[in-house]
Amino acid sequence: MIFLFAGFAALLVASSLLVVLHRNPVTSALFLVLAFCSLGGIYLLLQAEFVALVQVIVYAGAIMVLFLFVIMYLNLRQDVERGVQTAIRRGLGWLVGAVLLAEAFALIAKRWQVGPVSGGPEMLEGNTQAIGRALYTRYLFPFEITSLLLLVAMIGVIVIAKGRGGTAAADDSAEEKP
Amino acid sequence: MSGVIPLSWSLALSATLFVIGVVGVLVRRNALVIFMSIELMLNAANLAFVAFGRSLQSLDGQIFVFFVMTVAAAEVAVGLAIIVNLFRLRETVFVDEVNLLKG
């Protein structure tokens, strides 16, 4: 189990580093899919089966397909970066990253003593069943608000992506694109 | 099953993932890659939620992950629509070249 965790973790870190470092956005997106799948494996090892499957279906499936659609729709050129300013900013970025990483590990090294508060009988039934029960009883109101949030996001996306000046302008811009 | 995964391992992995996301946001100029780095940071937070939930024997962490995923999906949809609109307006997705507010 430890070895599986180490393997998934190595895969996750390597592929997310490649997401950041690779020049081509399409390759970055595909490596991000790999990173999300290995994160799903880690969720499975942490006994969160529902979250693992939702991770693969929603993140690696739906969200990344949306990313790839947009990348290919925009038809980007390669990411060329030159100049002193870019070099300075890149150096600063890595420096900030190193400081943050050191800080995080210093915090984790303190080893919080976290013990089980309630070894509930929830663990007897399946993970998905328990989550569904909690979601539809205790967290019913946030769950309903989630549906409202998705509706608002959907309407917002349609309004934003339609472009300015109503349907006529949107039709024009749609005709201009080959 | 040869033992459970220590909490600190998961937290270290989560911290590493978050830092990779931060570096991505700071280093890259492509708005789409910056967006992917933000997704990485959200996933790092999710991993911390699941790890703490496992350690505390509680389901609440996983339920929060569910909500975070919903918000992330909405955020990705709106953000990508904004990027598409930006591309129509300025013919670029590089954040350095979007300097309308610069005097």
Side-chain angles (χ1 to χ4, degrees):
Chain A
M1 207 162 173
I2 301 277
F3 291 114
L4 268 179
F5 182 84
F8 276 129
L11 194 61
L12 176 58
V13 169
S15 53
S16 46
L17 268 178
L18 278 169
V19 170
V20 170
L21 293 179
H22 209 280
R23 285 276 168 268
N24 192 347
V26 178
T27 319
S28 287
L30 291 176
F31 273 118
L32 195 55
V33 172
L34 182 61
F36 285 162
C37 288
S38 48
L39 191 58
I42 286 176
Y43 286 155
L44 269 185
L45 288 181
L46 291 171
Q47 297 191 348
E49 295 92 4
F50 176 73
V51 172
L53 285 179
V54 167
Q55 171 85 14
V56 172
I57 293 171
V58 172
Y59 261 115
I63 292 182
M64 292 322 294
V65 165
L66 194 61
F67 261 105
L68 283 174
F69 265 141
V70 170
I71 291 171
M72 290 175 178
Y73 171 70
L74 297 184
N75 194 14
L76 295 175
R77 59 184 191 278
Q78 292 273 313
D79 196 355
V80 280
E81 301 184 356
R82 282 195 194 87
V84 180
Q85 214 179 348
T86 315
I88 290 175
R89 202 204 26 215
R90 182 172 298 178
L92 272 181
W94 285 107
L95 192 67
V96 170
V99 169
L100 266 180
L101 194 63
E103 197 174 337
F105 274 87
L107 274 180
I108 290 168
K110 288 172 75 174
R111 283 184 184 278
W112 294 303
Q113 290 298 321
V114 188
V117 229
S118 60
E122 292 170 324
M123 290 304 165
L124 290 178
E125 54 190 357
N127 177 262
T128 310
Q129 195 179 353
I131 284 186
R133 192 183 302 280
L135 211 52
Y136 280 100
T137 54
R138 213 175 132 201
Y139 291 95
L140 183 61
F141 189 58
F143 185 67
E144 294 296 331
I145 289 183
T146 296
S147 70
L148 187 66
L149 174 77
L150 285 177
L151 178 68
V152 169
M154 200 164 68
I155 295 173
V157 165
I158 292 171
V159 169
I160 291 173
K162 204 176 68 174
R164 301 174 168 187
T167 48
D171 289 344
D172 285 345
S173 65
E175 281 165 12
E176 278 170 15
K177 301 268 179 200
Chain B
M1 243 191 240
S2 64
V4 266
I5 296 149
L7 173 65
S8 51
W9 288 26
S10 308
L11 287 184
L13 181 61
S14 162
T16 313
L17 201 57
F18 191 87
V19 169
I20 291 173
V22 170
V23 169
V25 169
L26 289 177
V27 165
R28 297 300 297 266
R29 308 187 305 166
N30 191 333
L32 284 160
V33 181
I34 289 178
F35 230 69
M36 291 185 213
S37 306
I38 293 175
E39 290 303 308
L40 277 180
M41 286 195 271
L42 279 169
N43 274 285
N46 281 352
L47 179 57
F49 268 128
V50 170
F52 271 119
R54 169 104 178 92
S55 164
L56 293 168
Q57 297 283 313
S58 160
L59 267 183
D60 294 353
Q62 298 181 28
I63 287 170
F64 260 87
V65 167
F66 176 81
F67 288 129
V68 170
M69 276 182 184
T70 318
V71 173
E75 175 236 338
V76 163
V78 174
L80 286 178
I82 289 174
I83 289 177
V84 167
N85 229 354
L86 176 74
F87 187 77
R88 281 189 194 149
L89 205 64
R90 305 291 304 245
E91 291 288 323
T92 182
V93 291
F94 296 109
V95 289
D96 282 358
E97 297 169 20
V98 186
N99 49 10
L100 268 176
L101 283 179
K102 212 174 185 176

